[in-house]
Amino acid sequence: MLACYTDVLSLRPGESTTLRASASQPTTCSLEIARIGKTRDVVLRKDNLSVSRQDLPEHADREGCDWPSIFTIEATADWRSGYYDILLTSAGGENAHHFLCIKPDRSTPRPPTALVLATNTYHAYNWWGGANAYCDVTSLMSRAKALQQAMDGAIGRLSTRRPFVPLIVAAPEDTPRLVNVRPRGFLERPWAGSREWARANRPSPYDRSAGFINKWEHVFVAWAEAHGIQFDTFTDFDIDREPNALDPYRVVLVVGHSEYWSGRQRDHIERFVDRGGNLAIFGGNTCFWKVRFEEDGATLVRSE
């Protein structure tokens, strides 16, 4: 299986990060990085990257992978702020996705609005390597454990240095909505999509609740850009670590499933509002779980 990840999830122009990858068999890969919004705008292509087979660490879900570097990604001055898809394709045609958030260049004029991606929630739902904050999902999906037993394997420490499962980081265009498309009848069970889609894609119970591509944030960004609305983009971790990141803006947008916030993130956003800023929340289940970062952001810890 081809998989990849980066050391960090956000960069400013001029900064760089390491792309790390593993394949089932040694192969060469092509790399494409594109900004995702109303359109898919490719900013980098690179061919003939060598990818070898790496072992899966026993506790990759909580301790990460520590795979070797295959490429150094540098954000250049022409990379506009936004969500960037990292697409790695093997010689045999297998794909792997990851992403980067490009933050604004501090030296350029800022639009009035900032969008904060719900990246803490991406991490909490990610079960690559075994478990997530809810369940031992690998055991559940292999049917080694029933749901209630698998939920006992939920973990409170999650590594940010590992790949994301495909349906979180690269959901297909026909991914069903989580909400029902019509009012349900009395005692009618909720549903999300068809059995045919589920059989074809084998989603876990956690894949559709987080992620950008073809989900809430992507749909909003595409709509906003189509209407000429400009904004800069940040991750949850950026707001945690940069107390003054929101100072240039009048409005902060939260439009995804922003369920997990750190204490410092909340403090910084509350300070922004107290000083006259506006916070627009277009999602649900916002700021429900408290988390913290350890090891310079390599580990996300869910607080009780």
Side-chain angles (χ1 to χ4, degrees):
M1 182 184 70
L2 185 65
C4 63
Y5 68 98
T6 55
D7 285 355
V8 298
L9 287 187
S10 62
L11 298 173
R12 292 189 189 275
E15 297 177 342
S16 62
T17 188
T18 299
L19 178 65
R20 304 177 186 273
S22 174
S24 300
Q25 301 291 335
T27 186
T28 57
C29 290
S30 62
L31 171 66
E32 182 177 277
I33 300 178
R35 186 183 183 276
I36 306 296
K38 179 178 178 291
T39 57
R40 189 178 192 276
D41 302 320
V42 177
V43 298
L44 183 146
R45 287 191 175 96
K46 181 72 175 178
D47 294 323
N48 299 316
L49 297 177
S50 296
V51 179
S52 59
R53 183 184 183 280
Q54 303 299 319
D55 292 333
L56 174 64
E58 182 180 1
H59 299 297
D61 47 11
R62 68 200 72 183
E63 296 177 5
C65 291
D66 197 27
W67 289 343
S69 169
I70 66 163
F71 187 69
T72 298
I73 299 173
E74 181 176 353
T76 58
D78 59 333
W79 290 22
R80 295 182 294 133
S81 184
Y83 179 102
Y84 283 70
D85 177 43
I86 297 172
L87 171 61
L88 199 63
T89 304
S90 72
E94 187 177 7
N95 291 334
H97 291 260
H98 201 64
F99 75 94
L100 280 172
C101 169
I102 300 302
K103 298 179 285 186
D105 187 334
R106 290 189 177 96
S107 65
T108 60
R110 304 271 49 82
T113 305
L115 170 69
V116 182
L117 299 174
T119 48
N120 289 350
T121 304
Y122 302 1
H123 290 308
Y125 280 77
N126 183 26
W127 53 277
W128 196 97
N132 63 13
Y134 299 86
C135 182
D136 177 0
V137 188
T138 298
S139 294
L140 175 68
M141 295 302 291
S142 67
R143 300 187 178 182
K145 296 179 181 178
L147 178 60
Q148 291 303 316
Q149 182 184 12
M151 290 178 68
D152 292 337
I155 56 177
R157 299 179 61 86
L158 300 122
S159 175
T160 66
R161 308 285 169 83
R162 57 176 171 145
F164 285 94
V165 296
L167 287 180
I168 287 180
V169 76
E173 290 185 4
D174 64 346
T175 296
R177 298 171 63 187
L178 277 177
V179 297
N180 300 149
V181 295
R182 61 171 174 78
R184 286 184 283 132
F186 182 64
L187 296 182
E188 184 181 1
R189 294 183 63 183
W191 73 96
S194 66
R195 292 181 179 178
E196 290 76 17
W197 191 93
R199 282 194 292 266
N201 293 277
R202 296 194 69 246
S204 83
Y206 309 99
D207 295 341
R208 285 178 278 174
S209 297
F212 179 92
I213 291 180
N214 294 321
K215 297 179 183 175
W216 310 281
E217 291 166 335
H218 185 186
V219 172
F220 177 86
V221 168
W223 172 85
E225 291 182 352
H227 287 78
I229 300 171
Q230 297 182 351
F231 46 83
D232 288 333
T233 308
F234 297 88
T235 69
D236 287 329
F237 181 70
D238 298 326
I239 307 305
D240 176 281
R241 290 304 167 97
E242 300 180 25
N244 301 315
L246 301 177
D247 286 357
Y249 304 99
R250 297 201 302 270
V251 179
V252 170
L253 299 174
V254 175
V255 302
H257 183 187
S258 189
E259 181 179 359
Y260 291 81
W261 286 34
S262 72
R264 291 200 298 191
Q265 174 184 5
R266 177 162 180 165
D267 288 345
H268 298 159
I269 288 179
E270 286 187 347
R271 189 190 70 166
F272 167 81
V273 173
D274 289 345
R275 293 173 62 179
N278 300 284
L279 175 63
I281 299 174
F282 298 145
N285 201 206
T286 301
C287 198
F288 184 81
W289 280 105
K290 184 178 182 181
V291 295
R292 68 178 184 274
F293 290 100
E294 294 184 354
E295 301 170 302
D296 197 27
T299 302
L300 181 75
V301 181
R302 190 173 75 169
S303 303
E304 295 298 336

